[in-house]
Amino acid sequence: MFTLTSNIVRRTVQLSVAAAVLVTASVSAQADEISLSNTLNSIEQNMTQASQEMISTAKQEFMLSLQTQIAEQVYEVNSSLAQVVLTEPEEPKTAIAAQATENK
């Protein structure tokens, strides 16, 4: 009877130890999954934020480049118009001067 009780106690202790090991391993595995999930979420958030900043910076650079190109083209058009305006009055003056010379 003592042997049977001893075997039952020993078997119960072995099962308890096995259950404790399984529970500890399960908790560790869940902790690893949670840690991995948190890490992946953190990486995803960082990549999203970095992507948004890159897109914002690219947009600003594109707009500045576009504004610069437009300003250069406006300046060129204004310069061309100024040259045309400056040369047009000289032609009539020359024509008037030529007519005045012919009339004399």
Side-chain angles (χ1 to χ4, degrees):
M1 171 98 173
F2 181 73
T3 308
L4 181 62
T5 306
S6 174
N7 284 340
I8 292 175
V9 169
R10 189 174 51 164
R11 184 78 173 153
T12 304
V13 169
Q14 287 176 345
L15 288 174
S16 297
V17 169
V21 168
L22 285 174
V23 167
T24 304
S26 175
V27 168
S28 296
Q30 288 176 356
D32 287 343
E33 288 177 17
I34 292 170
S35 176
L36 181 62
S37 177
N38 288 341
T39 302
L40 291 176
N41 285 339
S42 177
I43 290 172
E44 182 180 7
Q45 288 175 353
N46 289 343
M47 288 179 65
T48 301
Q49 183 179 4
S51 297
Q52 288 174 347
E53 288 175 4
M54 286 175 31
I55 289 171
S56 176
T57 302
K59 181 180 175 183
Q60 289 174 350
E61 289 180 5
F62 178 74
M63 291 301 292
L64 287 174
S65 174
L66 214 69
Q67 289 172 352
T68 302
Q69 290 177 7
I70 290 171
E72 288 173 353
Q73 290 177 357
V74 167
Y75 177 77
E76 289 176 9
V77 168
N78 285 341
S79 296
S80 298
L81 288 176
Q83 288 176 356
V84 168
V85 168
L86 290 176
T87 55
E88 283 181 3
E90 291 176 6
E91 291 175 5
K93 287 180 186 175
T94 308
I96 293 171
Q99 287 178 354
T101 307
E102 290 176 9
N103 291 339
K104 289 182 182 182

